[in-house]
Amino acid sequence: MEKVSMMINARKLFKDISDLPTIPAIVSKVVSMLDNQDANPDEIADLILSDQVLAARVIRVVNSPLYRTTNQISSVKRALLFIGFKSVREMILTSYFVEGFKQKDQPFDMKMFWMHSFSVGAISRRIARIVDFPDIEKAYLVGILHDIGKVFLGHYCKEGYGRMLASIRNTSYTTYEAEYEFFGTTHCEVGLCLAQRWNFPSVYCDVISYHHSSEMATEDPLLTAIVALADFYCLSHVTADSVAQASIPGRSEENAWNVFKQLATEKLPLSLEHFLSELDEEFETIKQEVDILFDTMTT
Ligand SMILES: [Fe+2]
Ligand SMILES: [Fe+2]
């Protein structure tokens, strides 16, 4: 498939859309400040406090069961110090993404979509930890965001996307292949357009764009492969995505495994199946985490 023509087709889909959910500029600014571990907590807290909705969101989430706080936290600065810059960054972006598409109707079950996204986030974090990836929260966040292109296609091309899903039900076609046939582009290119509109950091854009073709990723191929393997694990073990199903490794999973083996510094089992089966031990914990995250982010 030709990436350039797929990108051109993705851009065309965005052309006439006037009600695209936005992420406020202040949120992007806070997120990039939080990317810097040496940033000043007072400065970040002041910036968060200048947007009341954002400040309220940080306080609400930090006091949710997600972070198991024993005492109520009512100051933004304490929230930053308590859960850490990277967790606040991940929580802010996730909540704006969920909020943006909450009211946008879809031809698929959104609850299953979120469960899939949160599961991929949680599994990406586990895999990142296993291979000592330097930014575990980044793996978690980008795992949650990897399929954002599907919510765009589902909502803004609702009728065609519904027809496409019906046409591949009970077949071995993947959504990725069907999207290409129906729209001349896929949720990867569309997701990239959306991520660029929202000023996501370039590494997030790269993972969103290449999570079905890790061998083409340039910014951080290891991170892209981590998300690709987590995606495959979730489709075959954790939750059936309402939008796609895959239980045997295809070419894109084999490619992701090859990239992963080359770049991971830890000693890994010989086969992909072996590696993924190691995650089964934590399966129940991950499921509980995903349930809490889902309740916190969607209520
Ligand atoms: Fe995907
Ligand atoms: Fe996925």
Side-chain angles (χ1 to χ4, degrees), residues 17 24 35 69 77 81 100 106 125 138 141 158 170 199 204 219 277:
I17 287 168
D35 258 333
T69 40
K77 188 178 167 192
L81 298 175
Q106 300 284 349
R125 179 162 61 189
K138 187 179 276 176
L141 174 58
K158 193 173 166 207
N170 303 322
N199 292 319
Y204 298 26
E219 289 275 337
S277 69

Side-chain angles (χ1 to χ4, degrees), residues 266-283:
E266 294 301 300
K267 208 167 162 11
L268 298 171
L270 282 176
S271 75
L272 171 60
E273 287 73 15
H274 252 92
F275 176 69
L276 294 181
S277 69
E278 285 181 6
L279 297 167
D280 290 346
E281 287 166 22
E282 296 184 76
F283 183 71

Side-chain angles (χ1 to χ4, degrees), residues 118-181:
F118 295 146
S119 303
V120 173
I123 302 282
S124 297
R125 179 162 61 189
R126 292 300 147 104
I127 299 179
R129 203 168 273 151
I130 292 171
V131 295
D132 262 339
F133 186 75
D135 191 339
I136 287 166
E137 285 82 5
K138 187 179 276 176
Y140 182 47
L141 174 58
V142 83
I144 292 174
L145 300 172
H146 74 289
D147 273 340
I148 56 173
K150 284 183 182 172
V151 282
F152 176 94
L153 284 170
H155 180 70
Y156 293 105
C157 309
K158 193 173 166 207
E159 206 215 324
Y161 209 75
R163 262 190 291 121
M164 180 207 85
L165 289 175
S167 77
I168 58 169
R169 201 159 293 141
N170 303 322
T171 73
S172 57
Y173 258 78
T174 64
T175 336
Y176 183 78
E177 291 162 336
E179 285 169 350
Y180 180 68
E181 275 185 25

Side-chain angles (χ1 to χ4, degrees), residues 146-147 150 187 211-212 231:
H146 74 289
D147 273 340
K150 284 183 182 172
H187 65 279
H211 69 275
H212 288 285
D231 191 23

Side-chain angles (χ1 to χ4, degrees), residues 19 23 73 91 108 116 129 140 158 181 190 205 219-220 241 260 264 268 293:
D19 66 333
I23 290 191
I73 292 181
M91 170 250 280
F108 48 80
H116 170 73
R129 203 168 273 151
Y140 182 47
K158 193 173 166 207
E181 275 185 25
V190 170
C205 294
E219 289 275 337
D220 194 335
D241 178 356
F260 186 70
L268 298 171
L293 184 64

Side-chain angles (χ1 to χ4, degrees), residues 49-62:
L49 283 166
S50 68
D51 182 313
Q52 287 202 348
V53 178
L54 176 59
R57 198 165 288 197
V58 170
I59 296 297
R60 187 175 69 82
V61 179
V62 79

Side-chain angles (χ1 to χ4, degrees), residues 181-252:
E181 275 185 25
F182 268 71
F183 302 101
T185 188
T186 75
H187 65 279
C188 298
E189 293 72 35
V190 170
L192 172 61
C193 292
L194 198 51
Q196 287 172 336
R197 286 280 181 106
W198 286 343
N199 292 319
F200 282 4
S202 55
V203 67
Y204 298 26
C205 294
D206 207 48
V207 176
I208 290 166
S209 179
Y210 294 115
H211 69 275
H212 288 285
S213 47
S214 319
E215 70 287 1
M216 289 166 72
T218 52
E219 289 275 337
D220 194 335
L222 177 57
L223 179 60
T224 311
I226 288 173
V227 172
L229 295 179
D231 191 23
F232 175 65
Y233 180 85
C234 291
L235 291 173
S236 48
H237 292 71
V238 185
T239 49
D241 178 356
S242 50
V243 195
Q245 282 173 347
S247 51
I248 44 165
R251 201 165 46 102
S252 82

